[in-house]
Structure formats: structure tokens, C-alpha cells
């Protein structure tokens, strides 16, 4: 069975979505990068989180910051962590309080006003992201949401948001990781002068 049409269709759809990101989201991405740099310059930590594929993207972006984004860019580690990475916390909270509280509880424990909360949710309707954002807002943290579609229930509740113009989860996630990489590049450039 030949899958050329299927493969071409996925690649073309991804390119079209990224073209829309290029045409409409540069100012939002730049503002998000500035927000992250301001938090880090103030001694803040970046807290990333997401569910499913977005949890992997959250971990991926945090790792790029703690270790390095580009090969050869030797620099000090950047304080970033993925809240979805601690299985003991996730399972204990899910068992004792419910899955919707897994990120909120960690923001309550660790969040400070100079920190930045970064939530990834393709739908904008993830209850655990919404509750964590509410907690971050209560603490006085700045916040950034990477969303898709129409932004969902959480639209308009963060300091900054980037809404990928697609309703296809895979295309949104592909764009979120691209945007995450761009944010890493902005941070390395602003904090360390690295290209």
C-alpha cells in the first residue's frame, strides 16, 4: 500500500499551519520571549506544564533551558522545570485531591511573584491548567499560555497567550514545540548574547 498521499497531506498541513504562525504570531511570540526574560532577570523560575503530548513538549522546553538549546551554546543553566515530570507528586495529588489539582498544588508550593507559569493546552479547556493558572494569578505570578483553536475556556486569563490558528491537535503541538524552541533562542540571545 502506498502512503505518499497521506504523508504529503500531513507535511503540507503542517507547513500551512506554520505559515499562519509566521504571518500572525510573531508579535505574540516576541512578547512571550520578553516576558520570560523579564522573569529570569528578576530571579524567577519558569514552570512549564501540559497533558499528554503537551506534557512531553513542556518537559522538552524545560530541558532545553536547563541544559542548552543549541549545540555549542555553552552557558549557565536556566531555572526551568516541568511540573508534569514528578510521578510521585502527580499520583499522590491525583489520588488524594483529583487530577485537576496536580499543577495547582505545585504552583501553590513553589510559585513566587517573579516566576512565570507556562501552560500548554491545545484546547484551552484543560481543568488542571486552568486551576494552576488561577493559583499563579493569585500568587501574582506572570503567565503564558500556548493554546490552539479559539483559545478555549482559558483564553484571556493569562498575562500573554499564543493561540496557534488550527483546530488539529497534531498541528497545534507541532507549532507549540516550534514556538518553544524560538522562546529558548530568544532567552539565550537576551541573557547570554548567543545566536
Amino acid at each position: 500500500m502506498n502512503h505518499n498521499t497521506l504523508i504529503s497531506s500531513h507535511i503540507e498541513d503542517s507547513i500551512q499551519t506554520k505559515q499562519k504562525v509566521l504571518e500572525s504570531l510573531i508579535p505574540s511570540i516576541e512578547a512571550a520571549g520578553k516576558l520570560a526574560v523579564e522573569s529570569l532577570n528578576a530571579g524567577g523560575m519558569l514552570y512549564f506544564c501540559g497533558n499528554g503530548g503537551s506534557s512531553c513538549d513542556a518537559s522538552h522546553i524545560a530541558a532545553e533551558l536547563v541544559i542548552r538549546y543549541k549545540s555549542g551554546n555553552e552557558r549557565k543553566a536556566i531555572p526551568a522545570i516541568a511540573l508534569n515530570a514528578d510521578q510521585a507528586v502527580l499520583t499522590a495529588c491525583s489520588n488524594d485531591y483529583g487530577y485537576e489539582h496536580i499543577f495547582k498544588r505545585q504552583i501553590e508550593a513553589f510559585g513566587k511573584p517573579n516566576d512565570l507559569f507556562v501552560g500548554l493546552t491545545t484546547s484551552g479547556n484543560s481543568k488542571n491548567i486552568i486551576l494552576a493558572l488561577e493559583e499563579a494569578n493569585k500568587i501574582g505570578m506572570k503567565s503564558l499560555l500556548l493554546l490552539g483553536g479559539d483559545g478555549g475556556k482559558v483564553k484571556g486569563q493569562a498575562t500573554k497567550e499564543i493561540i496557534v490558528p488550527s483546530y488539529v491537535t497534531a498541528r497545534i503541538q507541532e507549532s507549540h514545540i516550534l514556538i518553544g524552541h524560538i522562546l529558548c533562542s530568544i532567552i539565550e540571545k537576551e541573557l547570554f548574547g548567543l545566536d
Side-chain angles (χ1 to χ4, degrees):
M1 181 175 223
N2 187 320
H3 296 292
N4 289 353
T5 303
L6 172 73
I7 294 166
S8 296
S9 147
H10 277 266
I11 294 170
E12 288 168 6
D13 194 31
S14 184
I15 290 168
Q16 289 171 9
T17 301
K18 289 183 179 115
Q19 186 63 41
K20 291 175 187 174
V21 168
L22 176 63
E23 292 167 0
S24 64
L25 293 180
I26 289 176
S28 297
I29 296 168
E30 185 173 21
K34 182 179 178 186
L35 187 66
V37 168
E38 286 171 357
S39 177
L40 292 164
N41 278 333
M45 168 83 87
L46 306 185
Y47 292 101
F48 292 87
C49 61
N51 296 287
S54 295
S55 76
C56 297
D57 292 339
S59 293
H60 181 156
I61 299 164
E64 301 280 25
L65 294 170
V66 172
I67 308 307
R68 66 179 177 193
Y69 170 53
K70 290 183 185 171
S71 180
N73 277 2
E74 298 305 324
R75 44 103 172 140
K76 183 180 167 188
I78 296 168
I81 194 164
L83 299 176
N84 43 261
D86 187 330
Q87 65 183 3
V89 168
L90 299 182
T91 55
C93 189
S94 295
N95 187 62
D96 295 353
Y97 294 102
Y99 187 74
E100 66 272 17
H101 295 278
I102 60 172
F103 303 136
K104 174 191 181 290
R105 196 74 175 164
Q106 293 177 82
I107 291 297
E108 182 182 348
F110 305 118
K112 303 281 187 290
N114 287 333
D115 295 337
L116 178 65
F117 172 78
V118 185
L120 288 76
T121 167
T122 60
S123 69
N125 297 322
S126 301
K127 185 67 172 173
N128 55 12
I129 302 285
I130 293 169
L131 291 178
L133 176 63
E134 289 172 358
E135 186 65 26
N137 288 342
K138 189 166 80 173
I139 292 168
M141 294 170 64
K142 300 290 187 199
S143 53
L144 168 63
L145 294 175
L146 301 187
L147 308 168
D150 63 4
K153 294 176 184 174
V154 79
K155 182 180 178 181
Q157 296 180 34
T159 310
K160 301 284 179 196
E161 59 191 20
I162 300 172
I163 304 174
V164 173
S166 175
Y167 285 89
V168 179
T169 300
R171 303 295 85 86
I172 298 166
Q173 289 175 333
E174 290 162 4
S175 296
H176 281 178
I177 200 62
L178 171 65
I179 292 163
H181 281 161
I182 295 168
L183 294 177
C184 291
S185 194
I186 291 170
I187 291 167
E188 286 194 344
K189 175 87 169 169
E190 289 299 314
L191 294 186
F192 303 101
L194 299 168
D195 289 320

